[in-house]
């Protein structure tokens, strides 16, 4: 085992594949010389050169569109947008082009590309640099969506995502970049659609991903003192979704709390609640709860932002309300 | 530029193929044989033909919602195209795309596209792929006058010119963005002027003169193959039909269509061929009859084909995941 940060994990995943496959290359805003807005690609420009680690103009439509075109002619591009919020500018290329070309063309084209999108709040970046937009991407047939919570998963999911023949949205939480974790010496690819049970428990299931895995584990520790035994599932992959792991856990605990950083209205958390209600309604002996951000844009001022975003205490409260 | 007789005949054949395919599609649509949005290219045939004649088979194109002409000119098969218009299982897209989304990766056709301006960036990406792999292929990007007001036009041309990517940007200026005339949608007359912003060559040609288009494209393709970057070629032309079939075209000034019909690119080329002994009238007639037969064969093929099994609706979303269908 060794210690790596989440950001280093993302980089290691890309680096392994770049060494292995000359068709893999990176481009985006400030990913080259500058090393990436959050330093994730630092050193890759020096190692692989300008051809494979390219700085682009600030031009999100061109970044995603160029990835679509390059993938269509046989490459495996990894475009990065500096913040998930900027995906709005390249949304046609993601939603109408990347996600639909294979289907519209009768399955005769494949578009292997991994779109890296730093997400989430907590860094005083305000409303246009702090969103959690996973619901938009999971909503669109044709896209796969992953969201690692730690360095080991960041590597394993990246290895799989790059080898995938479909467009994969790779969401990263920007407050986790510097968080260190234990990583196996040789990380294996993690299949998409395979959740990780971070903590086993028998009284209530938390379904979560990304940064909220940490909040949820903290809540579980607090609740342990109150005699509530919490299971925490880290989804890792939002689509495909490990429904089996979710249903199994619900059948065991009969109570569910879903934790995400999205604005609650229209959230992916809501979709998870609906799936559980559809398939496991009679297994639940309490309402399915969602702990999310408030339905506001993310504010700047530290106290306001902390108030809007969910935290471990909110999770504790939600769980207590079920008992 | 000396153009061989063989090339001229090939271009004539392509133009007639496009015209006859579309005239037949127009009638079939009017008969209610198939539905959907059908955007016809009649009147603009010299553009697709002149451009694709300047490309190799292993070059790429991106097309538009008005794509039949581009697909045919790049070597698309009329049978599979017609079957796709009918929504049949044997169509290019197995009935999943229809008129607006025909693609054939084996011929370098990266797809017609229902989003105005989407091709600028995709073509730029295909050219990035070409440059990355180090081949001397090119990608031609077809788009209309109105799409040059989309941000994608600027983004695509900016990136392609900055990175010297092998793209030929082909603007089909047919004078209208749906119902809005060029004078009402932009403050310029010659779209080729916009090339100045990207420090690339920009040229305006008569889009109804297939030789003019072919020559301009050949030069642009040669530059692109040498790594000298993109070119913007504006082809001034006119669409005879409405934006889509069923468009009453109330926005056209009286007499405008008639004026443009006098500049029909097909009789213009016929006249040249006869005057220069490229083909005799008899040979022209025979070629026309052969194309009529091809179109009828395509219609027969489409009509005889099956509609796709409904279970296929959930296929082809991903390479490896098929979601559950309905139980009915």
């Amino acid at each position: 085992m060794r210690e790596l940060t989440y950001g280093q994990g993302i980089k290691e995943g890309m680096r392994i594949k770049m060494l292995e496959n000359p068709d893999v290359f990176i481009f985006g805003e400030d990913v080259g010389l500058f090393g990436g807005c959050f330093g994730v690609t630092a050193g890759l420009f020096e190692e692989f050169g300008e051809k494979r680690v390219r700085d682009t103009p600030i031009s999100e439509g061109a970044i995603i569109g160029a990835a679509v075109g390059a993938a269509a002619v046989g490459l495996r591009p990894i475009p990065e947008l500096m913040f998930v919020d900027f995906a709005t500018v390249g949304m046609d290329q993601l939603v109408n082009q990347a996600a639909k070309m294979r289907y519209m063309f009768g399955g005769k084209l494949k578009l292997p590309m991994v779109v890296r999108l730093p997400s989430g709040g907590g860094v005083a970046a305000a409303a246009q640099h702090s969103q959690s937009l996973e619901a938009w991407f999971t909503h669109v047939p044709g896209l796969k969506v992953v969201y690692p919570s730690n360095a080991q998963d960041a590597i394993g999911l990246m290895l799989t995502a790059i080898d995938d023949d479909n467009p994969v949205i790779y969401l990263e939480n920007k407050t986790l970049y510097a968080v260190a974790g234990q990583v196996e010496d040789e990380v294996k690819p993690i299949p998409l659609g395979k959740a990780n049970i971070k903590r086993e428990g028998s009284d209530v299931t938390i379904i979560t991903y990304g940064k909220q895995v940490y909040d949820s584990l903290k809540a579980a520790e607090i609740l342990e003192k109150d005699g509530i035994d919490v299971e925490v599932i880290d989804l890792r992959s939002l689509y495909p979704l490990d429904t089996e792991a979710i249903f199994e856990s619900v059948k065991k605990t009969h109570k569910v709390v879903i934790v995400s950083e999205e604005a609650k209205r229209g959230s992916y958390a809501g979709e998870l609640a609906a799936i559980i209600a559809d398939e496991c309604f009679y297994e639940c002996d309490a309402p399915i709860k969602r702990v999310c951000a408030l339905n506001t844009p993310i504010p700047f001022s530290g106290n306001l932002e902390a108030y809007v975003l969910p935290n471990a205490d909110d999770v504790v409260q939600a769980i207590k309300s079920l008992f | 530029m000396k153009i061989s007789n063989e090339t001229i005949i090939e271009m004539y054949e392509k133009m007639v193929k496009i015209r006859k395919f579309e005239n037949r599609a127009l009638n079939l649509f009017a008969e209610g044989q198939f539905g959907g949005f059908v955007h016809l290219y009649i009147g603009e045939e010299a553009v697709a033909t002149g451009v694709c004649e300047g490309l190799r088979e292993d070059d790429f194109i991106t097309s538009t919602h008005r794509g039949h002409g581009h697909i045919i000119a790049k070597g698309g098969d009329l049978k599979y195209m017609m079957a796709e218009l009918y929504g049949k299982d044997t169509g290019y897209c197995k009935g999943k795309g229809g008129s607006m989304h025909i693609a054939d990766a084996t011929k370098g056709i990266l797809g017609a596209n229902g989003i105005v301006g989407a091709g600028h960036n995709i073509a730029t990406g295909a050219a990035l792929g070409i440059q990355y792999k180090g081949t001397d292929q090119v990608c031609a990007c077809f788009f209309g006058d109105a799409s040059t007001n989309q941000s994608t036009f600027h983004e695509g041309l900016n990136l392609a010119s900055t990175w010297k990517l092998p793209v030929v940007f082909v603007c089909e200026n047919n004078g209208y963005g749906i119902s809005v005339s060029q004078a009402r949608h932009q403050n310029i007359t010659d779209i080729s002027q916009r090339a100045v912003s990207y420090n690339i060559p920009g040229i305006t040609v008569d889009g109804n003169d297939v030789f003019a288009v072919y020559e301009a494209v050949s030069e642009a393709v040669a530059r692109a193959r040498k790594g000298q970057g993109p070119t913007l070629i504006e082809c001034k032309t006119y669409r005879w039909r409405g934006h889509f079939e069923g468009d009453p075209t109330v926005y056209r000034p009286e007499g405008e269509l008639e004026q443009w019909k006098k500049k029909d690119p097909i009789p213009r080329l016929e006249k040249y061929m006869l005057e220069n002994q490229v083909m005799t009238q008899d040979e022209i007639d025979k070629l026309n009859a052969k194309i009529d037969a091809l179109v009828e064969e395509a219609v027969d093929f489409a009509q005889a084909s099956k509609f796709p099994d409904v279970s296929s609706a959930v296929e082809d979303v991903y390479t490896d995941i098929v979601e559950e269908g309905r139980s009915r």
Side-chain angles (χ1 to χ4, degrees), chain A residues 83-127:
Chain A
F83 290 83
V84 71
D85 315 67
F86 305 168
T88 51
V89 188
M91 210 58 172
D92 171 63
Q93 304 288 335
L94 272 180
V95 174
N96 286 321
Q97 313 303 331
K100 296 193 174 53
M101 277 168 73
R102 177 175 178 79
Y103 188 79
M104 289 192 301
F105 302 162
K108 294 200 183 105
L109 200 67
K110 55 180 191 182
L111 292 175
M113 53 193 272
V114 180
V115 185
R116 288 185 46 228
L117 299 171
S119 301
V123 295

Side-chain angles (χ1 to χ4, degrees), chain A residues 22 59 73 103 108 143 239, chain B residues 92 113 132-133 155 313 318 323:
Chain A
S59 192
V73 301
Y103 188 79
K108 294 200 183 105
L143 301 178
Y239 186 86
Chain B
Y92 261 119
N113 207 309
Y132 187 91
K133 288 191 277 190
E155 292 195 71
Y318 299 93
E323 287 259 0

